[in-house]
Amino acid sequence: MSISVETEGRVRIVTIQRPEARNAVNPEVARALYEAFCAFEADETVDVAILTGAGGHFCAGYDLKAAAGEGGAAWLAQVDIPEGWQDAAAEPIPGPMGPSRLLLTKPVIAAVEGYAVAGGIELAAWCDMRVASESATFGVFCRRWGVPLIDGGTVRLPKILGQGRANDLILTGRPVGAEEAYRMGLADRVVPEGGALAAAKEIAEGLVRFPQACMRADFASGRMDGAALARAIRREWASFAAFAAEGAAGAARFASGKGRGGDFGDI
């Protein structure tokens, strides 16, 4: 099972179920996440979703072991952005991490324990709010391997943090703990370790009690429109050429055992 999907009242909970890989996303998980959030968007019985990970981690990014193999390369080719793609909301297509190109009309809350790094920080940034436990660590750890941000990270992080703080994370790749993430605006709440999902549920249950049409109208008005988002993500996708130049070799080094646990010295 790559993900689990549960519904509690009008709240949908999507959980990445690869704890043995710190919930790193492989092609199976990416497709399952994409389909789960497309289904959430279409389901009139639910109003808010929560994205989280099993086993004490949110998501350690795209599975570089998979990226180093034929299956991962085939998936990345499959999610290439076609010419003429303009409106991510009208014509959704999956991103490498799954739902990262979707522009939903209903809010998604990230419940973050442990690592939310590389593509995992991009998934967290794709969400509309982020609840982080004291154990949470954010970071663009893929900087070590020559793997670019291609799931909206270069688009969304500056919007959330401001350009200067986003530059700090994007360029250095350094780890950022929960308290610093809160101070810079990346985490909206910090809760005790193990409490992120419960806190996210509490927020979600509060949101579903509001009149939904008004809330969704304000929610949509406060964000980048679909056409602008699509243009920005298409520009970011041009960085995929860097994966071919550097990232494939970096993924192979990771697969061989280098740089585990966020080690920046052993790469």
Side-chain angles (χ1 to χ4, degrees):
M1 177 173 58
S2 61
I3 70 169
S4 62
V5 179
E6 302 172 273
T7 302
E8 296 183 9
R10 298 191 69 85
V11 178
R12 179 68 46 82
I13 303 163
V14 179
T15 305
I16 304 172
Q17 295 281 356
R18 293 192 75 214
E20 74 284 358
R22 293 175 175 167
N23 297 315
V25 168
N26 61 14
E28 178 188 5
V29 174
R31 179 167 293 282
L33 286 173
Y34 174 75
E35 292 173 352
F37 281 103
C38 286
F40 161 68
E41 175 72 0
D43 190 342
E44 296 181 358
T45 69
V46 286
D47 298 316
V48 180
I50 296 169
L51 175 60
T52 193
H57 292 285
F58 180 72
C59 175
Y62 192 78
D63 189 337
L64 292 183
K65 288 184 178 180
E70 292 182 5
W75 170 251
L76 292 174
Q78 184 178 341
V79 300
D80 191 14
I81 297 177
E83 289 290 338
W85 183 65
Q86 294 296 321
D87 192 338
E91 297 183 13
I93 57 175
M97 295 290 292
S100 54
R101 294 172 185 163
L102 294 174
L103 187 67
L104 305 183
T105 63
K106 299 183 282 190
V108 181
I109 303 169
V112 180
E113 304 275 353
Y115 283 129
V117 297
I121 197 175
E122 293 187 282
L123 280 184
W126 172 74
C127 295
D128 305 294
M129 295 182 67
R130 286 153 293 281
V131 177
S133 88
E134 293 170 341
S135 74
T137 299
F138 299 87
V140 184
F141 282 12
C142 50
R143 180 60 56 238
R144 300 169 296 164
W145 308 116
V147 176
L149 295 174
I150 49 177
D151 277 271
T154 66
V155 178
R156 296 184 177 102
L157 287 172
K159 294 286 185 183
I160 295 167
L161 306 178
Q163 191 67 59
R165 284 174 169 165
N167 287 347
D168 181 0
L169 267 66
I170 291 169
L171 294 176
T172 70
R174 68 182 180 87
V176 173
E179 289 297 335
E180 184 179 2
Y182 177 74
R183 291 195 303 271
M184 66 171 54
L186 183 56
D188 301 295
R189 309 278 196 282
V190 175
V191 299
E193 185 173 357
L197 180 57
K201 287 181 181 180
E202 184 177 357
I203 294 169
E205 288 162 2
L207 296 184
V208 302
R209 286 195 285 267
F210 294 135
Q212 292 299 301
C214 177
M215 188 183 79
R216 291 181 196 177
D218 287 347
F219 174 56
S221 180
R223 296 188 303 168
M224 183 184 297
D225 69 77
L229 177 65
R231 287 193 298 271
I233 287 179
R234 184 171 178 79
R235 182 183 65 187
E236 179 189 68
W237 183 247
S239 298
F240 182 69
F243 179 81
E246 297 179 338
R253 291 199 304 277
F254 179 84
S256 74
K258 295 287 187 179
R260 297 304 169 84
D263 186 352
F264 275 64
D266 180 28
I267 57 175

